[in-house]
Amino acid sequence: FFFSLVGKSATFPWMMMRAGPWLLCAAVASFAFQAVPPARQCRLERAATVEYSLDDVEIGSPLEPLSNYLLVRVASAIDATTGGVLLPEVAKETPTEGVVVATGPGRTHPDTGVLMPMPVEAGAKVMYGKYDGTSLKYCGEDHQLIRDDDILVTWQGDLTADSVRPILDRILLKPERVEDETTSGIALAPGVAEQQKTSVGQVLKLGEGRLAADGSTMPMPIAVGDSVKYRDYAGSDIKIAGDDFVICRVNDCIAKFASAAPAAEA
C-alpha cells in the first residue's frame, strides 16, 4: 500500500506532513514484510500452526530421538495380495520399512567416550527387523523408534538391489538356490525344499565396517564376489523387487571360498 501510494500520488510530501508518524510506521512495516522471502513466510506460518501429538496426546515440541535411536515413519501396510484380493485388517502384512524422520546424535562408547556417528540421516529410507524397535503414533501416523543397529539396509529412490546399501558390519548375500530334488534324483515333496534353508551365499554388497572404540571403521575380512558359509539360521531374509536376499553380519560368516568355475562344454 505504501509503495503504490508513492508511485501514484503527486502530493506525497503534503500527505506525509498531514498523516504524521502513523504513515511512517506503516511504511517501515510494509518494507519489513516484503523483505522476508515468500518461502520463509510460509515456513513461519506453518511453524506457528503445527501441532505435535504422541499416541494421540498433544505435546509441545517435535519428538527428538536420543543416543543412537532413529524415528522412522512406517510405510503403508500392504492392503491387497498380488492377485488384487483385499486383505482384512488383521491379515495385513506388517511393514518393516520407512523413512527416517529424525535421528539422535549417536551413542557414546562406554570405554573411550567417543561419539559414534549415525550411519543414516533424516530422509533416508531404511529396512529393519520385523520385531525391532518400539511402535508409536506420532502426529497421527504410525512410526517406529529403532536403533541404528536395527537397520538392515538403506537406500534412496526406488528399492532395488543396486540402490540398497548395507549398514556398518552387515553384508548383502544372494543365497544359493535350494534344489527341489535329492542328489539321487528323487523329487522332494512340496514345501520340503522351502524348509531346507540354505546357509551359503555370494557377497553382493558390504557395509562400511564395524566401528572401533575410537569411532573408526574396521576392515572387512571378505570382499564382494566371495562365496561364504554362514551360521545356520543367521541373518534376515528379505525380498527386493521380488528376488530373495539375505542380510547378515560379517561375524556370522564362518568360512569363505571362491565359486567353482563353470564346466567347459564338450
Side-chain angles (χ1 to χ4, degrees), residues 127 152-153 164 166 170-176 197-206 228 230-240 243-249 252-253:
M127 184 182 296
L152 302 177
V153 292
V164 298
R170 296 186 188 273
I171 59 177
L172 177 67
L173 300 172
K174 182 62 178 175
E176 184 181 82
K197 179 179 172 64
T198 182
S199 58
V200 173
Q202 186 179 37
V203 179
L204 299 182
K205 288 192 174 183
L206 300 170
V228 295
Y230 53 94
R231 294 188 301 107
D232 293 339
Y233 307 107
S236 301
D237 298 326
I238 64 173
K239 276 189 177 293
I240 301 177
D243 293 328
D244 294 323
F245 297 90
V246 171
I247 287 284
C248 72
R249 296 184 182 278
D252 290 328
C253 299

Side-chain angles (χ1 to χ4, degrees), residues 168 208-212 214-219:
L168 299 176
E208 311 87 54
R210 187 176 181 181
L211 292 178
D214 61 356
S216 62
T217 54
M218 294 186 284

Side-chain angles (χ1 to χ4, degrees), residues 50-57 59 61-63 71 73 101 136-143:
V50 166
E51 294 182 355
Y52 302 97
S53 62
L54 176 60
D55 293 334
D56 298 326
V57 177
I59 56 178
S61 67
L63 200 61
L71 179 64
R73 183 173 65 250
V101 176
L136 52 90
K137 186 84 73 173
Y138 178 56
C139 295
E141 295 182 307
D142 291 330
H143 286 69

Side-chain angles (χ1 to χ4, degrees), residues 103-165:
T103 71
R107 71 179 181 90
T108 301
H109 194 277
D111 297 327
T112 63
V114 173
L115 184 66
M116 302 295 174
M118 296 292 283
V120 295
E121 299 178 348
K125 298 177 181 179
V126 295
M127 184 182 296
Y128 49 91
K130 185 175 182 179
Y131 301 105
D132 291 334
T134 300
S135 302
L136 52 90
K137 186 84 73 173
Y138 178 56
C139 295
E141 295 182 307
D142 291 330
H143 286 69
Q144 198 86 353
L145 274 171
I146 63 174
R147 300 174 303 168
D148 59 350
D149 204 42
D150 296 329
I151 301 174
L152 302 177
V153 292
T154 182
W155 70 95
Q156 297 288 347
D158 295 330
L159 176 59
T160 66
D162 291 331
S163 66
V164 298
R165 175 174 64 89

Side-chain angles (χ1 to χ4, degrees), residues 32-52:
F33 180 79
Q34 293 189 14
V36 179
R40 186 180 177 189
Q41 291 176 19
C42 294
R43 289 197 299 267
L44 292 174
E45 291 173 2
R46 286 198 301 267
T49 58
V50 166
E51 294 182 355
Y52 302 97

